[in-house]
Amino acid sequence: GGASQDPDALRHLVEHSATVGTLAERYHGQLTSALELQSLTVRDVVRPNTSPSSVAPDATAAAIKAAADRSGHLRLLVRDDDGIKGVVHARDSLRAGATVTAADLMRPVLTLDADAAVYEALHTMRETRSHLAIVTDAGQLIGVVTLTDVLARLRPAAGAPT
């Protein structure tokens, strides 16, 4: 709205106010952190990895569990030669019958653009109940980001207890 300011203009105002002594030091630090978070993008929190832990669509429940154990990740991408098809949670494979495959168990995977604001990404991940997203830059996979990664990056400046 009309009250929102350009982050650079706000940053300048905060610096000026701190310099002339009209802004208490503790507020200066908090505001500076908040402004830095405002400009944080998904690229700043992504784990660069062009081949994240994955299984093939025809992977059996046992193969999913084995891949999860081997990688240490509970959420695995489901991918084939044409790309990423979805995401499967190892927990879902535990109850699955012997003939169930990753394609049967997978859910849609969220794709985030590397230049998206972290706050937007957090909102999207919460709205879609996605704990894992793939991150692309100009359509190319550059890595994955988890809800935990995003929250960990936002939490310190939000003043939330750690």
Side-chain angles (χ1 to χ4, degrees):
S4 73
Q5 295 269 338
D6 166 10
D8 289 329
L10 285 171
R11 197 172 292 113
H12 179 75
L13 181 63
V14 167
E15 290 299 324
H16 176 75
S17 299
T19 304
V20 298
T22 56
L23 185 65
E25 188 56 42
R26 63 192 169 118
Y27 295 123
H28 173 254
Q30 289 173 351
L31 286 169
T32 302
S33 295
L35 288 167
E36 285 167 3
L37 284 178
Q38 203 66 46
S39 61
L40 207 60
T41 65
V42 173
R43 186 183 311 277
D44 297 319
V45 295
V46 68
R47 296 179 191 185
N49 181 355
T50 53
S51 56
S53 304
S54 64
V55 293
D58 62 358
T60 63
I64 294 168
K65 184 182 180 317
D69 289 347
R70 193 169 52 250
S71 70
H73 296 123
L74 293 176
R75 290 173 184 85
L76 302 168
L77 295 175
V78 179
R79 72 192 306 181
D80 62 16
D81 295 339
D82 296 327
I84 296 167
K85 303 301 180 194
V87 62
V88 65
H89 196 295
R91 177 186 57 221
D92 297 334
S93 69
L94 301 178
R95 299 186 293 273
T99 60
V100 174
T101 65
D104 299 324
L105 297 170
M106 72 182 180
R107 298 179 189 131
V109 65
L110 179 64
T111 302
L112 297 172
D113 187 88
D115 295 322
V118 169
Y119 277 117
E120 291 171 22
L122 176 61
H123 178 74
T124 304
M125 291 179 88
R126 283 186 164 160
E127 285 284 301
T128 59
R129 301 177 67 102
S130 300
H131 289 267
L132 174 81
I134 58 172
V135 180
T136 58
D137 184 8
Q140 295 296 309
L141 174 70
I142 62 168
V144 297
V145 67
T146 66
L147 191 56
T148 305
D149 295 335
V150 172
L151 291 172
R153 190 64 186 264
L154 295 178
R155 192 169 288 128
T162 50

